[in-house]
Amino acid sequence: MELARASLWRKPVILLATGFGLGLSPVASGTAGTLLGLPIMLGLAPLWACYAGEAVHAHGMGLMLMTQAIAALCLALLAVPVCDVAEKHFGRKDDGRIVADEFMTFPIGLLGLPLCPWVLALAFLTNRVFDVLKPFPAHRLQHLPGGPGIVVDDVVAALYSLLVNHGIYYLVLR
């Protein structure tokens, strides 16, 4: 693998960018890479914990949502330099092996929602659909250079996913 030719400091970044090898999938590497979003959400579960049926006053709910948003934003911002380094390493614009943008933006689509299996499955599905369709302005934004161009279209897809997930949750799943 091309990891062998990476400098010592780049190896862990390339490993992260490729989703610890999931991005090397010969088919649907983005979908395979998005699977890492599920254990990330399990790690972030304490930020979503009070949705487990507890009554939460408005201030607590707002604070929890803000904490979730900060965690999701930090992951998305971290994806930018990771993807940038990987793109330079592979020498191709948004190389299919780079999947950190998929799994590091996945939490955005779950902001304010409970982490139950149905909602996680819904978020996974809608995230993939919007990442593939790239609705406005995602398609244009992916043409930005480097890491921002790799990540920003996934942020937009995750925001569309978030909107649809909330709609489905409140109309059907709740």
Side-chain angles (χ1 to χ4, degrees), residues 49-56:
C50 81
Y51 279 111
E54 300 174 18
V56 180

Side-chain angles (χ1 to χ4, degrees), residues 63-111:
L63 183 61
M64 183 180 58
L65 187 56
M66 185 169 47
T67 304
Q68 292 173 4
I70 289 169
L73 178 64
C74 287
L75 280 170
L77 289 174
L78 179 60
V80 172
V82 167
C83 292
D84 192 64
V85 167
E87 183 176 77
K88 288 176 181 151
H89 173 77
F90 290 122
R92 281 188 13 204
K93 173 74 178 143
D94 202 356
D95 189 289
R97 295 171 284 190
I98 302 170
V99 294
D101 51 325
E102 271 83 23
F103 68 84
M104 294 178 87
T105 59
F106 180 71
I108 295 169
L110 288 157
L111 293 172

